[in-house]
Amino acid sequence: MSVSQRIASDDQLARLLQIGIVLEEVVEARAHHHYQSLDAELDAEIETLLADAAEESAGHREQLESLIEGLGVDSVPFDEIESLVDARYGRTRPEDFDGVLYDQLCNEETAYKFYDDLIEAIEGSDAEFSIDREELLETLEAIREDEADGVSEVTEVMERR
């Protein structure tokens, strides 16, 4: 299941929303990884940035889970979704980046691009979903905006250093 495919059903939409949940979990897990493995390098500004990213991701997951519940479809097992995310978005690991900020920037940009593509796919679809299309798009646009703000915030911190 790819965002580039036409979304024609509640099931397809649910799978894509589940991918969003896993992406958010990746952001949160990587933030925690940095807390644990790079403590000596983390200053207060970076700690706050990572804590905010983890908190934001948890909120996004709740929003996405709520949308999925409204669809009333069966969930795909987590390991299947995780493998889809890993194949498409998980080609890098935290240690692949030259620093915490570069990793965080990659995470924010990846999430932004995913939501941007998802919104475009929904707008390009004429499918009727079990949830209100306008509410769906408003939620996803708000999440995408949060990700754009995250990209800006990380970029600003990087420029100050």
Side-chain angles (χ1 to χ4, degrees):
M1 181 88 244
S2 168
V3 179
S4 62
Q5 293 178 332
R6 189 169 169 272
I7 303 173
S9 70
D10 282 356
D11 285 327
Q12 287 178 320
L13 177 59
R15 301 308 176 264
L16 290 166
L17 294 173
Q18 285 179 298
I19 288 171
I21 289 171
V22 175
L23 281 174
E24 297 294 348
E25 289 173 346
V26 167
V27 170
E28 192 170 359
R30 286 173 92 145
H32 289 295
H33 169 82
H34 290 306
Y35 275 130
Q36 294 171 350
S37 66
L38 303 173
D39 286 338
E41 296 177 35
L42 298 180
D43 59 31
E45 186 175 37
I46 293 175
E47 284 185 43
T48 300
L49 182 94
L50 293 173
D52 290 349
E55 185 178 320
E56 181 179 277
S57 290
H60 291 168
R61 277 196 333 267
E62 289 175 11
Q63 291 175 294
L64 296 170
E65 287 166 356
S66 178
L67 291 172
I68 292 169
E69 285 176 23
L71 291 170
V73 298
D74 293 330
S75 275
V76 170
F78 177 78
D79 58 335
E80 286 183 35
I81 296 295
E82 186 178 38
S83 67
L84 288 172
V85 170
D86 193 46
R88 175 78 166 109
Y89 301 101
R91 296 187 181 114
T92 61
R93 301 287 174 244
E95 52 277 357
D96 293 341
F97 291 90
D98 189 21
V100 173
L101 292 173
Y102 285 104
D103 183 51
Q104 188 60 33
L105 181 61
C106 176
N107 293 335
E108 298 284 353
E109 288 176 335
T110 298
Y112 174 86
K113 179 69 173 137
F114 170 78
Y115 292 114
D116 193 53
D117 290 346
L118 180 56
I119 290 165
E120 185 178 316
I122 291 167
E123 289 175 338
S125 170
D126 56 1
E128 292 292 323
F129 303 117
S130 297
I131 56 176
D132 182 68
R133 181 183 291 268
E134 193 170 316
E135 179 184 332
L136 169 66
L137 288 170
E138 285 175 7
T139 300
L140 294 174
E141 287 166 352
I143 292 172
R144 179 183 63 187
E145 185 64 30
D146 287 345
E147 301 301 346
D149 291 346
V151 168
S152 295
E153 185 177 348
V154 173
T155 302
E156 289 170 12
V157 171
M158 291 172 83
E159 288 172 352
R160 287 195 296 270
R161 295 181 181 261

